Amino acid sequence: SRPILDMSYSRHFLDFQGSSIPSSMKKLVVTKLSQNFREAVTLQQDSPVPLPGDGDLLVRNRFVGINASDVNYSAGRYDASVKPPFDIGFEGVGEVVALGLSASANHTVGQAVAYVKAGSFAEYTVVPASHAVSLPSVKPEFLTLMVSGATAYLSLKELGDLSEGNKVLVTAAAGGTGQFAVQLAKKAKCHVIGTCSSDEKGGFLKSIGCDRTINYKTENVESVLRKDYPEGVDVVYESVGGKMFDLALNALAIKGRLIIIGFIAGYQNPTGLQPIKAELLPAKLLKKSASVRGFFLNHYLSDYKMALQHLLKMYERGDLVCEVDFGDMSPEGKFTGLESVFRAVDYMYMGKNIGKIVVELPHSVNSKL
């Protein structure tokens, strides 16, 4: 089908503010498989701007999200069949600047959209119209919901079996997805405990409803849980792995549920793992009739749009805090431009962030007409 914008004439290939879409762009590409993001990924300066097909949108990215799994992806841990070079970055928010004929049924040039698709660490990304979520405006807060918010919502809904009065432990609670697990568990009238690494993070957690914060730099998590919750916790939302996984497992109550959404403590290791006391797992689960369940967002895509619409409505009503961390407090300042994605990934693994780490991609609009 002939696209709505005639791609053969660059003068017709205009964005909605009247500036020409360039023929080349910057993007990040995995050129070598490695758990060291800086070694694995290369910033390419002159990649061709992709052209949207009949059912596609060309999105000019304004904000892109940083995820712990970016390191797993660049290490080739998700799909062994994918060989370098390949694009990276999982989520973006921006404006539609061109689109195909079929895509124009529900989208227009100038529309704000968000999406989850590999290849967001680029100035422009082609997104199937069916994958795009229309937004009222281009705001970084919407980006926090795409992967982090949806992961918290769907995992707790499908696997948490939350009921009023449950005790819920959230590890890395002040992080990108932890902030949503805390708030959603509170909305379910649960008692929420959150682990974090600083008093500043503890203050943030209290501000979003956390009942008990544990700063693991100054408090012994195991001792606190044993003393304050002698009968254990009903649900754990676990994203750290290693020793924290072992502590969380030991803290489970009778019929407790431990949901694994990640194990960031090990991602930068060659194996991607931190050791756990796995040989004790069967006995511990049996003794408590407890369960350990894994959650990977890709397996719940049939419920994804429903989850996202629910979260967007909550945010628009003022019922959900979507904390964004642009790295303003990092040594070199705010994460601006694709070059700063490397710093942003380092910042996340140093455990410095409060909320979701987001990189802004500024675009100067210079009319060439």
Side-chain angles (χ1 to χ4, degrees):
S1 300
R2 182 178 175 277
I4 249 181
L5 296 175
D6 190 339
M7 303 304 175
S8 62
Y9 295 98
S10 62
R11 66 191 180 83
H12 293 161
F13 194 27
L14 305 176
D15 80 13
F16 67 101
Q17 288 172 312
S19 67
S20 301
I21 294 171
S23 57
S24 65
M25 65 170 186
K26 294 178 184 174
K27 72 172 179 176
L28 295 185
V29 178
V30 176
T31 50
K32 171 191 171 186
L33 296 182
S34 171
Q35 76 278 1
N36 180 326
F37 191 82
R38 287 178 180 271
E39 281 184 12
V41 178
T42 303
L43 175 63
Q44 294 190 348
Q45 300 279 355
D46 294 311
S47 295
V49 172
L51 300 180
D54 179 59
D56 296 332
L57 312 174
L58 180 65
V59 177
R60 184 172 69 178
N61 294 314
R62 289 278 302 284
F63 300 101
V64 294
I66 304 296
N67 292 287
S69 44
D70 291 329
V71 165
N72 284 335
Y73 198 56
S74 65
R77 290 181 185 138
Y78 285 154
D79 186 348
S81 68
V82 178
K83 304 295 181 202
F86 56 86
D87 297 347
I88 191 165
F90 289 124
E91 54 185 342
V93 166
E95 303 103 351
V96 175
V97 293
L99 71 172
L101 188 58
S102 299
S104 67
N106 297 304
H107 296 276
T108 58
V109 168
Q111 189 175 33
V113 294
Y115 64 88
V116 175
K117 176 184 177 285
S120 70
F121 292 164
E123 291 178 317
Y124 295 85
T125 303
V126 166
V127 179
S130 58
H131 290 193
V133 178
S134 299
L135 299 173
S137 61
V138 175
K139 284 173 70 175
E141 286 79 9
F142 293 126
L143 191 57
T144 67
L145 302 174
M146 299 300 293
V147 170
S148 301
T151 293
Y153 178 85
L154 286 168
S155 64
L156 289 173
K157 180 174 178 287
E158 298 293 327
L159 308 179
D161 196 21
L162 297 183
S163 56
E164 186 174 344
N166 277 174
K167 296 177 182 68
V168 179
L169 170 64
V170 181
T171 64
T177 189
Q179 65 171 328
F180 295 111
V182 167
Q183 294 177 79
L184 294 168
K186 279 306 291 179
K187 299 272 183 233
K189 299 183 177 175
C190 298
H191 175 94
V192 183
I193 310 136
T195 70
C196 61
S197 60
S198 71
D199 291 340
E200 186 190 2
K201 290 184 179 188
F204 165 68
L205 289 173
K206 284 177 181 152
S207 77
I208 59 171
C210 204
D211 297 288
R212 173 66 159 100
T213 61
I214 307 174
N215 178 349
Y216 62 80
K217 295 280 179 76
T218 58
E219 296 181 272
N220 182 298
V221 178
E222 191 171 19
S223 301
V224 170
L225 291 172
R226 198 181 294 129
K227 175 174 168 288
D228 293 359
Y229 305 95
E231 293 186 1
V233 296
D234 302 292
V235 178
V236 181
Y237 184 86
E238 217 294 276
S239 61
V240 177
K243 288 178 182 172
M244 188 63 82
F245 173 86
D246 288 330
L247 288 179
L249 182 68
N250 291 340
L252 281 178
I254 302 295
K255 297 182 183 175
R257 288 88 67 197
L258 191 155
I259 304 167
I260 300 171
I261 64 116
F263 32 93
I264 191 173
Y267 290 172
Q268 291 185 299
N269 296 345
T271 62
L273 299 166
Q274 281 274 55
I276 59 166
K277 295 174 180 170
E279 70 275 9
L280 301 174
L281 190 62
K284 286 182 177 179
L285 295 178
L286 181 64
K287 187 178 175 185
K288 294 178 175 178
S289 292
S291 62
V292 175
R293 312 252 335 241
F295 178 88
F296 189 47
L297 185 59
N298 288 10
H299 300 146
Y300 290 84
L301 294 181
S302 59
D303 298 318
Y304 178 76
K305 284 220 166 172
M306 170 275 297
L308 204 56
Q309 295 304 335
H310 181 81
L311 291 167
L312 284 165
K313 282 178 189 156
M314 285 181 74
Y315 172 66
E316 285 164 6
R317 284 199 309 263
D319 290 342
L320 201 61
V321 172
C322 297
E323 189 70 17
V324 172
D325 192 332
F326 278 119
D328 295 288
M329 307 307 291
S330 66
E332 294 171 61
K334 185 175 176 178
F335 303 133
T336 305
L338 286 171
E339 299 84 351
S340 67
V341 168
F342 298 96
R343 282 201 298 121
V345 169
D346 290 343
Y347 181 75
M348 175 176 53
Y349 279 96
M350 287 188 282
K352 300 292 188 187
N353 58 300
I354 296 179
K356 174 85 177 181
I357 301 175
V358 173
V359 174
E360 183 173 7
L361 306 184
H363 287 274
S364 57
V365 178
N366 302 317
S367 179
K368 298 175 187 173
L369 300 179

